[in-house]
Amino acid sequence: MIAKKFILFIVVSLLMAGCVEKEIIDDVNIEMGLGYDLKEDDKIEGTVMIPVFNPDKRIGNFTFSATATSARDLLQEIQRKSAQPVVTGSLEIALFGEEMAKKGVIELIDSFERDASIGARVYLAVGEGNAKDILSGTYGNRGNAIHLSDLIKQNTDKRNLPKTNLHLFLFDHYQKGKDPYMPILKKLEAEIIDIVGVALFKGDKMVHTIPADKMFFFKLLTDKFSQGSFKIKVREEEEQAAIRDLDSKNKFKLTKRDPYSITVEIKIEGIIREYTGQMLTPAMIKKIEKELENTVNEECSTLIADFQGHGVDPIGFGHFIKSKTRGFDFKKWEDDYKNLTVHVKTDAKITEVGIVE
Amino acid sequence: MKQLFKKKMMKELEKEAAKQDTQGNTGQEQDNYLNDHGWEILFKKSHDFKKTFYVNQKTGKKFCFSFITTLIDESILQNNALPYLLERDFKYIEDVKKLIPIADVQISERNEDIEKKLFNGYVLLTLEGEEKCFAFIAAQKEIVRNVAQPEVEFSVIGPKESFVESMDQNLNLIRKRVPVKELIIENYTVGTLSHSGVAILYIDGITNTDNVDTVRQRIKEIEFDEITDSSYIVQLISDNENSPFPQLLDTERPDRVAAILAEGKVAILVDGSPHALIGPTTLVEFFGSFEDYFLNYLLSSFFRLVRLFAVAFSILITPIYVAALSYHYELIPKDLLSTLITSRREIPLPPILEALFLELTIELLREAGARLPTKVGQTIGIVGGIVIGTASVEAGLTSNVLLIIVALAALASFTTPVYRMGNTIRLLRFPFLFFAELWGLLGIVISFSFLLTHLIRLTSLGRPFLEPLYPPRITDFKDAIIRLPFKKQSLRPQYLRTENPVRFSKEKAKEKKDIDE
């Protein structure tokens, strides 16, 4: 009996072996980067970046491009050009050309959503100019896709770029009262890519950008705990200090309805990394703190006013007020948003000034 | 038809037996101590059976020694028996007890004892005029290996004794460590040809009688002809003989046997085997080396964790390699991707064949190393490990990443303190590999659940094998995956259901002894 069961088990196992698709690691083309550009007649040019692992451990880059009318056809076109099946499971970054981003990206992103092998932490970015140009350079020594994703990761974790990825983009997109955003990459030279700002989307269309020097303030408003660095100039003293923000919290408070009024409380704890003057007296530190508070208040208010002007809400005020209001009407919110008053209150604290006294 | 035939056979056999019996009886009737006895017919065919005749100088009575030369020590006969029997007043067979300075002299009338006694190293003494009575004089030749250092379970710290092939010697080693009358040693004879002595050891008042009964019953029920080692007993009395897991722990250390007796377990010794068996046991006990008890509890806990990790690593790492490379490229960290792909670039084989090739090579090396004499074995290690390893990577048959993985897995499997369990672990890898090839990680999960089901069902002498993990027994974790200090070990393991669960008084152990008291 046991022998019979055992034989049956082995037979069933062998018969079911074909049920899983085999993708042996060195027999597939692993697509790690993807770019979409808009061409004439609304055609889409897709670029697939595949790392080439050379025997001497160097990683090269190889790109396929194909033009098609829809994102579905693109993969077909690309598979036709590839000797080995192109698999999408290790996708690191997807780039959208500026034109493409302005036309709308959700149709393209939809294919990422449906592909179970694509992770939720894929980075999305807008390529200034042409996505294909960015993908076809050679950056770093670990392959372009890894270089680009590391670039975004590093700037998100330690610098001023707010946190973005596929998951957050989709969340913001499907969340009423909040608009998504992506970093903007620009090819500076043949081997250098720079983050030049953040692209703001309304729905799935890019409508506005934030320049790189304002990203610090934007990050303070969007991310709960953020790290970043910022250079500050003390007005009367002609001295400059580079402040590294170690920990910040933001808290929204609905202070008034009809018209809505929101107070944003930002708490910053930071250290001074560089200082042009000689002595950092406690009085001076107080001054810097004050200066920092004022700057953050001003810059954040300007940013919010700017968003209101363009009708985008990347910070998610609408979402916040909805969670506090019974029977919130999103149709009315369109107009209410323009009339929303936002007060920014900052509490800055310098905890460390370095070992030089 | 079959049954009829069987009956016929049985009848014929019975008849023959009856014939032999009558023949024996007739032989006995004509018995003369000098002539051939009925029982001697088969003995005489062997050249080491000897019969010597003597005449007592005082009484003139003739007597005769029958013995098997290879089993007895003739010097005992010559020094302690012959001079007295020849020169003193030797009239009746009962006189032997008084005359010779040997403690073990038995007078018997039972003919059926003769064979057993002769093979136990006794000398048969027959006397003229005493046809029915005879004496057995103990003169065993003890060819005993010296007590040597344990080789399988060697420990740097702690006692360096190990069992030998003689049961008496082994019992002596244990008795010395547990010198109490409560230590019971029961003896049974097993095997229709080998007549192997099997001893059951337990401590009365501590060990659960059910456990002893189970062992006793199973040993009595053994039907086998030649028992050469305790390994036979393990396989014959195991709860589930189809399981690759050993269900009785075997040890060559008398100190370990003494320790487990105190815990309330049963030990089984087999004559001719330098390994004692211990039961009931649990899976985690196989990963505890006895040296753990000689080290500080922090160290031994750490070593136990390392060993458990090594087991998991050894079983799972090659299957995970195969699964990840065949199915789950997206699971591989992007920094590792290039290492793996470049190392597999030139390899024509799919990951499963590559892995099987290397795993089988390692198994071959191990087999070759185990079969060859130690001196040659070392060469095999070098040839196999270095030459075959590097050559197969250079020839592009296997990737060097896999070579490292397989070698590490093999190394990890050797950390298991019990050799038997190490073998099991090496075997377990192959079904895992097979399923990893079929269904990737899902296959590994499936085979793991099969393994877990099997382990949960497994028992050792009727006690759960996976305890204290399942059924969960929190108190028994004190000496399982980690080992707590001795002060916390005041209770005997719960699963043994001992008759006296308390090892020592916890309160007394806690008291701080002052010098003044």
Side-chain angles (χ1 to χ4, degrees):
Chain A
M1 198 53 207
I2 291 171
K4 259 187 198 168
K5 270 186 190 168
F6 186 72
I7 291 169
L8 187 74
F9 178 68
I10 295 290
V11 169
V12 168
S13 311
L14 288 173
L15 287 178
M16 282 172 65
C19 295
V20 198
E21 201 185 340
K22 217 176 204 180
E23 287 158 337
I24 295 179
I25 189 166
D26 52 336
D27 295 340
V28 288
N29 275 333
I30 299 171
E31 153 193 314
M32 290 182 107
L34 203 51
Y36 294 107
D37 287 305
L38 197 64
K39 291 278 155 183
E40 30 323 316
D41 309 334
D42 276 1
K43 279 196 171 173
I44 303 168
E45 186 188 37
T47 310
V48 169
M49 183 164 59
I50 288 155
V52 180
F53 299 101
N54 294 315
D56 58 350
K57 301 263 158 97
R58 267 192 318 113
I59 304 176
N61 303 289
F62 189 78
T63 49
F64 292 109
S65 287
T67 315
T69 45
S70 78
R72 308 251 174 284
D73 295 341
L74 262 179
L75 203 63
Q76 294 288 332
E77 295 280 332
I78 287 167
Q79 295 280 24
R80 272 218 311 269
K81 292 181 182 174
S82 168
Q84 287 167 333
V86 175
V87 290
T88 51
S90 283
L91 189 67
E92 287 285 329
I93 185 165
L95 281 177
F96 303 95
E98 224 174 329
E99 296 299 311
M100 193 75 233
K102 278 176 183 159
K103 191 184 167 253
V105 294
I106 198 68
E107 258 182 56
L108 304 170
I109 290 177
D110 180 71
S111 67
F112 300 163
E113 273 181 88
R114 282 174 210 293
D115 191 341
S117 67
I118 290 182
R121 291 189 197 168
V122 170
Y123 288 116
L124 304 177
V126 171
E128 200 173 279
N130 213 334
K132 190 182 174 184
D133 290 344
I134 293 179
L135 288 180
S136 47
T138 311
Y139 322 109
N141 53 2
R142 303 170 69 191
N144 282 357
I146 293 176
H147 178 84
L148 293 178
S149 74
D150 283 352
L151 179 77
I152 295 177
K153 188 172 166 29
Q154 193 271 123
N155 277 289
T156 309
D157 292 349
K158 307 279 181 212
R159 299 291 152 189
N160 300 346
L161 189 66
K163 195 169 181 185
T164 59
N165 58 32
L166 176 61
H167 178 84
L168 292 173
F169 183 90
L170 289 170
F171 175 83
D172 292 350
H173 180 258
Y174 289 117
Q175 180 68 54
K176 276 186 177 174
K178 199 168 186 322
D179 289 320
Y181 44 88
M182 287 182 197
I184 307 173
L185 302 185
K186 189 185 179 187
K187 191 170 182 175
L188 282 188
E189 295 162 33
E191 291 183 348
I192 291 171
I193 292 282
D194 188 19
I195 297 175
V196 291
V198 174
L200 303 177
F201 284 70
K202 174 100 181 153
D204 68 329
K205 294 175 180 65
M206 176 177 142
V207 291
H208 190 45
T209 56
I210 303 172
D213 56 338
K214 304 279 185 238
M215 281 195 320
F216 176 72
F217 306 105
F218 184 56
K219 191 177 184 179
L220 283 178
L221 288 168
T222 53
D223 290 13
K224 282 274 177 215
F225 300 92
S226 61
Q227 280 199 352
S229 56
F230 178 64
K231 194 174 72 185
I232 195 164
K233 207 172 160 193
V234 187
R235 267 162 234 190
E236 304 122 43
E237 306 283 338
E238 295 289 318
E239 300 284 9
Q240 284 189 347
I243 291 169
R244 184 152 165 69
D245 162 28
L246 289 179
D247 190 4
S248 79
K249 285 172 198 174
N250 58 14
K251 207 170 175 187
F252 295 172
K253 267 186 191 157
L254 186 58
T255 43
K256 213 175 82 188
R257 294 199 173 87
D258 267 341
Y260 291 111
S261 169
I262 286 179
T263 309
V264 180
E265 288 174 5
I266 301 177
K267 269 188 186 168
I268 304 175
E269 271 182 29
I271 57 174
I272 295 179
R273 296 296 295 272
E274 279 168 43
Y275 181 62
T276 50
Q278 284 301 311
M279 291 286 279
L280 258 174
T281 53
M284 193 65 207
I285 292 169
K286 274 271 163 330
K287 239 179 215 170
I288 294 174
E289 278 177 0
K290 197 82 213 142
E291 189 62 46
L292 182 64
E293 282 169 14
N294 288 336
T295 321
V296 169
N297 285 348
E298 272 170 34
E299 292 285 354
C300 285
S301 302
T302 346
L303 266 182
I304 292 165
D306 191 28
F307 297 155
Q308 283 172 315
H310 283 85
V312 288
D313 185 7
I315 299 157
F317 288 123
H319 173 51
F320 170 72
I321 293 173
K322 188 208 116 191
S323 67
K324 304 274 178 193
T325 314
R326 193 181 293 271
F328 184 76
D329 186 7
F330 274 110
K331 275 177 191 153
K332 227 176 126 243
W333 170 246
E334 295 279 312
D335 299 324
D336 285 350
Y337 182 53
K338 308 250 175 194
N339 304 324
L340 175 76
T341 39
V342 181
H343 301 284
V344 183
K345 267 167 73 182
T346 313
D347 177 17
K349 216 171 149 190
I350 304 286
T351 53
E352 201 185 299
V353 293
I355 52 164
V356 181
E357 283 290 325
Chain B
M1 262 315 270
K2 238 184 189 177
Q3 274 188 345
L4 263 177
F5 184 70
K6 249 189 191 171
K7 264 189 187 170
K8 223 179 176 182
M9 282 277 289
M10 287 297 283
K11 265 185 190 172
E12 267 175 33
L13 278 174
E14 273 168 27
K15 257 187 203 168
E16 236 170 74
K19 230 189 209 169
Q20 276 185 351
D21 270 1
T22 47
Q23 271 181 353
N25 282 337
T26 48
Q28 202 188 327
E29 272 163 28
Q30 305 158 353
D31 217 356
N32 184 328
Y33 81 105
L34 293 177
N35 291 343
D36 289 351
H37 295 245
W39 55 266
E40 282 179 352
I41 297 167
L42 264 177
F43 276 91
K44 281 201 160 176
K45 288 188 179 173
S46 303
H47 87 281
D48 59 348
F49 179 70
K50 216 173 180 182
K51 230 175 153 185
T52 49
F53 301 92
Y54 304 94
V55 182
N56 184 282
Q57 289 165 359
K58 279 197 174 161
T59 56
K61 279 227 175 192
K62 290 174 186 165
F63 60 95
C64 161
F65 282 137
S66 313
F67 52 88
I68 293 165
T69 50
T70 44
L71 289 178
I72 69 140
D73 189 351
E74 284 186 57
S75 68
I76 295 179
L77 216 53
Q78 273 169 16
N79 300 332
N80 297 342
L82 257 184
Y84 303 97
L85 292 177
L86 285 173
E87 290 160 15
R88 301 265 177 99
D89 202 16
F90 182 35
K91 267 187 196 153
Y92 308 106
I93 197 86
E94 281 81 8
D95 293 341
V96 187
K97 281 189 172 180
K98 286 179 249 163
L99 290 174
I100 58 173
I102 294 175
D104 191 2
V105 175
Q106 294 164 22
I107 310 284
S108 173
E109 294 182 5
R110 292 157 54 87
N111 263 13
E112 53 271 32
D113 280 354
I114 294 176
E115 183 180 336
K116 204 176 148 194
K117 289 286 180 192
L118 282 182
F119 283 114
N120 275 338
Y122 286 85
V123 175
L124 176 70
L125 171 66
T126 44
L127 185 69
E128 182 188 24
E130 302 239 14
E131 263 78 37
K132 283 198 176 147
C133 236
F134 35 83
F136 294 115
I137 301 164
Q140 284 98 340
K141 187 179 343 189
E142 290 281 347
I143 305 179
V144 180
R145 184 159 66 92
N146 284 336
V147 175
Q149 287 206 350
E151 276 184 14
V152 188
E153 289 170 90
F154 180 78
S155 71
V156 180
I157 316 160
K160 301 278 188 295
E161 287 171 340
S162 73
F163 286 134
V164 290
E165 281 76 8
S166 150
M167 185 151 82
D168 288 339
Q169 177 71 61
N170 294 348
L171 288 175
N172 169 284
L173 291 172
I174 297 170
R175 276 273 193 215
K176 274 197 281 187
R177 290 177 185 275
V178 193
V180 287
K181 63 178 183 304
E182 281 80 12
L183 172 61
I184 311 289
I185 299 175
E186 289 177 14
N187 212 335
Y188 298 94
T189 309
V190 178
T192 48
L193 281 179
S194 65
H195 293 290
S196 310
V198 175
I200 303 175
L201 280 75
Y202 60 94
I203 295 182
D204 191 51
I206 293 177
T207 315
N208 186 317
T209 40
D210 285 355
N211 291 343
V212 183
D213 288 345
T214 315
V215 177
R216 197 183 290 134
Q217 189 194 350
R218 287 196 189 160
I219 284 186
K220 276 184 187 166
E221 281 173 0
I222 288 178
E223 278 296 325
F224 206 72
D225 52 354
E226 180 75 26
I227 307 266
T228 53
D229 187 55
S230 60
S231 318
Y232 281 58
I233 305 281
V234 179
Q235 293 168 55
L236 287 165
I237 73 170
S238 282
D239 294 38
N240 181 357
E241 60 189 73
N242 292 324
S243 169
F245 288 90
Q247 291 141 58
L248 292 174
L249 189 69
D250 63 332
T251 181
E252 54 170 358
R253 301 183 63 109
D255 45 349
R256 188 168 202 174
V257 172
I260 61 95
L261 285 173
E263 268 184 3
K265 289 176 188 159
V266 186
I268 304 163
L269 281 176
V270 181
D271 201 11
S273 166
H275 284 264
L277 304 176
I278 293 168
T281 182
T282 59
L283 182 71
V284 283
E285 207 175 351
F286 283 91
F287 302 111
S289 149
F290 195 61
E291 200 178 7
D292 289 351
Y293 296 97
F294 304 145
L295 296 170
N296 174 288
Y297 74 98
L298 292 171
L299 296 172
S300 55
S301 301
F302 171 68
F303 292 149
R304 277 192 187 182
L305 289 175
V306 167
R307 262 180 242 133
L308 279 175
F309 169 76
V311 171
F313 181 86
S314 173
I315 296 179
L316 292 175
I317 192 70
T318 339
I320 285 177
Y321 174 88
V322 170
L325 264 67
S326 305
Y327 294 100
H328 312 286
Y329 65 91
E330 66 265 24
L331 284 186
I332 301 167
K334 57 188 183 215
D335 297 334
L336 199 62
L337 208 57
S338 90
T339 319
L340 284 176
I341 291 181
T342 34
S343 78
R344 263 193 60 79
R345 172 163 301 277
E346 308 295 323
I347 289 142
L349 303 171
I352 177 70
L353 289 183
E354 192 192 352
L356 274 181
F357 171 73
L358 268 187
E359 286 287 0
L360 287 175
T361 313
I362 292 257
E363 287 304 301
L364 279 182
L365 281 174
R366 193 189 57 77
E367 269 304 301
R371 302 289 153 254
L372 280 170
T374 15
K375 294 249 166 70
V376 193
Q378 289 171 352
T379 338
I380 285 291
I382 295 163
V383 170
I386 299 166
V387 179
I388 298 183
T390 38
S392 59
V393 168
E394 270 172 24
L397 277 178
T398 52
S399 71
N400 39 20
V401 176
L402 184 64
L403 187 71
I404 297 167
I405 285 177
V406 170
L408 272 181
L411 194 67
S413 79
F414 289 116
T415 57
T416 325
V418 181
Y419 181 71
R420 239 175 250 281
M421 190 48 96
N423 288 339
T424 307
I425 282 161
R426 274 197 297 281
L427 176 73
L428 282 182
R429 213 178 296 155
F430 289 95
F432 272 86
L433 261 180
F434 177 69
F435 284 105
E437 160 66 10
L438 288 188
W439 300 312
L441 284 183
L442 181 68
I444 295 180
V445 171
I446 289 173
S447 25
F448 193 77
S449 32
F450 269 102
L451 177 67
L452 205 63
T453 322
H454 175 71
L455 281 174
I456 286 175
R457 286 181 55 187
L458 211 56
T459 51
S460 165
L461 299 180
R463 305 284 174 201
F465 190 61
L466 208 55
E467 204 269 355
L469 304 168
Y470 190 87
R473 298 276 178 266
I474 303 296
T475 48
D476 282 1
F477 272 104
K478 65 186 186 300
D479 186 14
I481 294 168
I482 54 165
R483 186 181 77 80
L484 295 184
F486 284 128
K487 268 190 188 173
K488 301 254 158 124
Q489 312 259 10
S490 64
L491 294 178
R492 300 205 157 86
Q494 230 176 352
Y495 73 100
L496 295 172
R497 306 246 174 258
T498 48
E499 289 178 359
N500 180 9
V502 182
R503 293 184 85 162
F504 55 85
S505 153
K506 216 177 175 180
E507 284 69 39
K508 271 192 185 171
K510 262 189 187 167
E511 274 173 28
K512 284 205 171 150
K513 309 266 189 315
D514 208 320
I515 291 174
D516 294 339
E517 277 178 47

